[in-house]
Amino acid sequence: MDNKNKKILGISAYYHDSAAAIIDNNQIIAAAQEERFTRKKHDPSFPRHAIEYCLSTANVKLEDLDAIIFYDKPLLKFERLLETYMANAPRGIRSFISAMPIWLKEKLYLKTVLRREFKALAGIENSDQLPKLLFSQHHLSHAASAFFPSPFEEAAVLCLDGVGEWATSTAWLGKGNKLEAKWEIQFPHSLGLLYSAFTYYCGFKVNSGEYKLMGLAPYGQPKYVNTIFEHLVTLHEDGSFDLNMAYFDFAVGHTMTNEKFANLFGGPRHQEDAPMSQKQMDLARSIQVVTEEIVLKIVKHLHSQVPSDNLCLAGGVALNCVANGRLLREGPYKNIWIQPAAGDAGGSLGAALVAYHHYFDGERRLDTTPSSSTAAPDDAMQGGYLGPEYDDQHILAAVDQQNLVAKSLNEADKYSHVAELIDQGNVIGWFQGRMEFGPRALGNRSIIGDPRNTEMQTTMNLKIKYRESFRPFAPAVLAEDVEQYFEHSSASPYMLMVADVQPAIRLTPSSEDQKTDKGGSEAFGLDKLNQIRSSIPAITHVDYSARIQTVHENTNPEFYKLITAFKERTGCSVVVNTSFNVRGEPPVCSPEDALRCFLATEMDYLVMNNVILAKTDQPESAISAAKAVEFEKD
């Protein structure tokens, strides 16, 4: 089969985190989540805007594509839905009745729905004018997103998520341009749904609060681990596991857990946005420990089946960077590569790669081997910078439209000037180049600050991000300096690895800091929040851990130059890096989004390409208008 000049569009949609990606043969041209354009976090709708962006960037019309591929198979999902309800009937009848209309209206006829959407998007009448429409499988799309862009010729591939069609956990052998399935675990036995059940029970929203639970875990004690293994999960020697469904409601109900689950842990679900208690922290720590133990056992067994040096990960559980860090330190695989868009958004890219390599038998070409352990991996993700970019003309037009005050920066002085502002304690909105694909801000749509500043974590959480005070911030560090600060010696360009700060820069909290304000007893739980634990306290979590991003000159020269300038000024080659958004808002995409977020928060400066705005220069009317925009809390 001719595999030359194939342009393929992959999409994921109708569950959460809709996205589109386009490839040209072996090269990824563009990828973006729909939420960035619609400003609706985790937007599940047909990704019209993301598709239009991808087609524009690839300079191709929809009807000229060689194929369009959807990331999973809805009929298999419907089969799972029916069989689950039949197996549990009459339990779940209300859930079944509520689920049927959307299935009967749209999801069962997804091919027709998609063709209608694509015809409208292309402005054509006849379906015959559309490209071939293909369907991948959910976990195959995840596996493809993990292996094909990776720097490895061959690797074991592990996908862990909530659920696809039937599979919740799958293992693969990736070699050349093919993926070979090794085994799978099927619904309802799901590590992702187990973690989501605790996310729900602790008062967070499923599919968005999991990373909050992970951030809460270090404040707690693992006191419920034995309870979880005794009652909820049976873990087998080969890493496979079974959930005791007597405690869960997600298979047939509208909630994740049931009354029996609540009774096991001594009370009803924690209310959303209620103050965190020690119990939630202990539960968070416990399920984190359980998750890590299961993942480690799965991977050790996988290594006996696929004894490679290399492991690739995808699926929502692969965003658990604490577990990833343990895998790297304690697991049997020498090298680990994780798809930065590990969740369903990345399924769009994986589906496109499935079409190219499996359907069209397209050749897979790898680049050269990295020159050092901390060199950016020669993967195909281009640092994850696959989204839209904007020139100064667009930026200045957006500034002028709101009568804002901006200045132009000389390219030669930009980095030293911004480094000085950071050193002075200012919080900077940093908007450069192409937007990131995936949930992490990697220095192009970021809010940055000084990690040495003892007030920075609290300031950023409460005055900039408007989010929970306990949540940690990540460090962005020059790749070649990572070992000076962290017990980590390899590249981590996608902020998906957690490691401890080096003992040499740790600080012991003062005796006063170790006491609570009220009773003078030892600090516990969130009382630890304000303790100074290292010379870079703003990114040091209460257990001395940090979620590391190594910054590489070849994949992000702008961010690299900024941190280098900060290092030259201060001797510190680390900055705080968090996503450019507020709670409930997707990360900013356009200059207009960035201006609104900048004006609505207590951010001090905004730097977009070579244009800088100071908050003190901006008219009150624009600030008030920006603050009037609200986002639903996640």
Side-chain angles (χ1 to χ4, degrees):
M1 185 178 292
D2 175 25
N3 61 21
K4 300 295 185 185
N5 302 317
K6 300 299 183 190
K7 291 184 173 62
I8 302 165
L9 176 73
I11 65 169
S12 59
Y14 303 124
Y15 188 49
H16 57 78
D17 297 302
S18 293
I22 194 164
I23 64 171
D24 185 345
N25 290 342
N26 201 43
Q27 184 179 6
I28 303 167
I29 303 300
Q33 293 113 298
E34 182 70 0
E35 64 165 19
R36 307 297 165 90
F37 304 94
T38 62
R39 314 307 300 153
K40 298 176 184 175
K41 200 162 189 178
H42 307 302
D43 192 340
S45 62
F46 178 76
R48 165 184 288 272
H49 302 87
I51 293 170
E52 289 175 336
Y53 155 69
C54 286
L55 294 173
S56 173
T57 304
N59 194 28
V60 62
K61 293 180 180 178
L62 184 80
E63 53 269 41
D64 293 333
L65 293 168
D66 294 282
I68 300 171
I69 182 165
F70 191 72
Y71 80 131
D72 68 10
K73 294 192 173 181
L75 286 180
L76 285 179
K77 278 189 174 177
F78 189 68
E79 175 189 282
R80 186 244 300 166
L81 191 72
L82 282 181
E83 288 196 19
T84 301
Y85 282 120
M86 289 173 65
N88 291 278
R91 288 180 59 221
I93 186 62
R94 290 183 180 179
S95 174
F96 180 77
I97 291 172
S98 67
M100 280 304 100
I102 187 67
W103 276 98
L104 296 176
K105 182 181 178 183
E106 289 187 347
K107 293 185 178 179
L108 269 181
Y109 310 101
L110 192 61
K111 185 178 286 188
T112 301
V113 170
L114 288 174
R115 282 177 173 158
R116 186 174 65 228
E117 293 281 6
F118 283 121
K119 283 194 295 182
L121 193 149
I124 58 179
E125 297 290 334
N126 193 338
S127 293
D128 292 341
Q129 296 176 263
L130 290 174
K132 187 186 304 293
L133 182 56
L134 305 173
F135 290 82
S136 179
Q137 289 197 22
H138 191 97
H139 269 243
L140 176 59
S141 297
H142 276 318
S145 77
F147 175 63
F148 291 132
S150 80
F152 308 136
E153 167 61 25
E154 55 79 32
V157 183
L158 181 64
C159 303
L160 303 168
D161 70 355
V163 62
E165 293 90 358
W166 277 101
T168 67
S169 311
T170 55
W172 310 74
L173 167 63
K175 190 171 185 179
N177 70 343
K178 291 291 180 287
L179 281 158
E180 175 190 333
K182 304 301 288 186
W183 52 258
E184 72 176 44
I185 298 172
Q186 292 194 342
F187 182 87
H189 307 293
S190 164
L191 184 56
L193 291 176
L194 174 66
Y195 202 88
S196 291
F198 279 86
T199 300
Y200 168 83
Y201 183 69
C202 288
F204 301 116
K205 289 184 178 177
V206 172
N207 289 332
S208 68
E210 283 77 2
Y211 55 95
K212 298 181 184 180
L213 195 71
M214 185 175 65
L216 189 64
Y219 296 97
Q221 300 296 320
K223 59 190 297 184
Y224 297 107
V225 169
N226 291 339
T227 303
I228 294 171
F229 277 125
E230 184 177 345
H231 295 277
L232 302 185
V233 188
T234 301
L235 179 60
H236 304 291
E237 279 304 308
D238 61 359
S240 63
F241 56 88
D242 303 304
L243 300 188
N244 183 349
M245 295 307 297
Y247 291 90
F248 301 96
D249 195 46
F250 59 76
V252 292
H254 292 290
T255 62
M256 295 299 297
T257 60
N258 59 20
E259 187 176 354
K260 190 168 183 176
F261 187 102
N263 290 337
L264 182 64
F265 294 106
R269 180 197 182 210
H270 194 70
Q271 293 297 307
E272 291 185 14
D273 279 334
M276 284 294 113
S277 70
Q278 191 60 46
K279 176 183 173 183
Q280 275 68 52
M281 300 173 208
D282 293 339
L283 285 166
R285 178 68 178 278
S286 300
I287 191 59
Q288 180 63 36
V289 169
V290 168
T291 299
E292 293 168 19
E293 292 300 320
I294 294 174
V295 171
L296 275 167
K297 202 154 193 174
I298 289 174
V299 168
K300 286 175 181 174
H301 178 68
L302 177 58
H303 190 257
S304 69
Q305 298 175 309
V306 187
S308 168
D309 282 343
N310 309 314
L311 174 66
C312 297
L313 298 173
V317 179
L319 294 172
N320 192 313
C321 45
V322 181
N324 296 341
R326 279 196 69 186
L327 269 185
L328 186 64
R329 293 188 300 274
E330 303 174 32
Y333 289 98
K334 180 180 176 184
N335 308 304
I336 297 178
W337 191 88
I338 306 163
Q339 165 57 240
D344 278 9
S348 62
L349 173 60
L353 293 166
V354 167
Y356 180 66
H357 292 298
H358 280 201
Y359 185 82
F360 291 112
D361 197 24
E363 182 183 2
R364 180 167 178 253
R365 293 187 295 274
L366 294 174
D367 292 328
T368 56
T369 304
S371 56
S372 72
S373 62
T374 55
D378 282 320
D379 61 44
M381 292 300 294
Q382 302 162 48
Y385 308 106
L386 298 168
E389 63 180 335
Y390 300 86
D391 59 22
D392 282 357
Q393 185 178 4
H394 186 129
I395 290 168
L396 290 171
V399 168
D400 290 343
Q401 189 174 30
Q402 296 191 61
N403 296 317
L404 303 179
V405 179
K407 297 177 182 175
S408 293
L409 288 170
N410 184 308
E411 176 76 16
D413 299 331
K414 178 170 84 172
Y415 307 102
S416 60
H417 179 60
V418 177
E420 180 181 4
L421 294 176
I422 298 171
D423 185 27
Q424 291 170 346
N426 294 295
V427 177
I428 313 292
W430 183 251
F431 182 105
Q432 308 284 324
R434 298 186 73 178
M435 183 181 70
E436 298 88 344
F437 181 50
R440 308 294 187 213
L442 300 173
N444 280 7
R445 299 294 186 275
S446 291
I447 298 172
I448 53 181
D450 187 347
R452 305 165 305 159
N453 189 317
T454 56
E455 305 296 324
M456 189 56 64
Q457 199 253 7
T458 300
T459 299
M460 278 192 165
N461 264 336
L462 301 183
K463 294 184 178 180
I464 311 294
K465 301 281 285 185
Y466 301 140
R467 68 183 197 182
E468 299 88 344
S469 62
F470 64 84
R471 293 173 60 185
F473 287 107
V477 57
L478 296 179
E480 60 271 27
D481 292 346
V482 64
E483 283 191 88
Q484 293 181 28
Y485 297 91
F486 307 102
E487 293 183 317
H488 187 91
S489 58
S490 59
S492 176
Y494 302 121
M495 206 187 283
L496 288 169
M497 289 287 175
V498 162
D500 289 344
V501 298
Q502 287 285 6
I505 64 168
R506 294 182 193 178
L507 300 173
T508 302
S510 68
S511 57
E512 285 304 310
D513 282 346
Q514 292 186 51
K515 306 293 185 183
T516 62
D517 291 336
K518 294 179 181 178
S521 57
E522 184 177 353
F524 209 60
L526 293 184
D527 292 331
K528 300 177 182 176
L529 186 61
N530 296 320
Q531 294 175 348
I532 308 303
R533 296 182 171 275
S534 81
S535 60
I536 43 176
I539 58 83
T540 305
H541 210 359
V542 295
D543 58 353
Y544 294 100
S545 68
R547 181 160 46 95
I548 301 167
Q549 179 198 358
T550 53
V551 179
H552 305 261
E553 187 172 14
N554 61 328
T555 54
N556 195 334
E558 294 282 335
F559 202 31
Y560 186 89
K561 288 177 186 175
L562 174 62
I563 302 175
T564 299
F566 186 68
K567 178 184 178 182
E568 290 171 354
R569 179 181 179 84
T570 67
C572 177
S573 47
V574 181
V575 297
V576 180
N577 177 18
T578 185
S579 57
F580 197 152
N581 62 339
V582 297
R583 183 179 177 186
E585 178 189 19
V588 301
C589 177
S590 68
E592 290 82 0
D593 303 332
L595 287 169
R596 191 216 55 76
C597 187
F598 164 66
L599 293 169
T601 66
E602 303 306 311
M603 220 178 300
D604 299 298
Y605 291 88
L606 170 60
V607 182
M608 296 192 287
N609 293 357
N610 292 332
V611 176
I612 185 168
L613 297 88
K615 177 63 68 56
T616 52
D617 292 341
Q618 308 311 320
E620 279 300 323
S621 58
I623 293 173
S624 298
K627 288 186 174 179
V629 179
E630 295 184 350
F631 296 91
E632 183 181 354
K633 288 183 178 179
D634 61 2

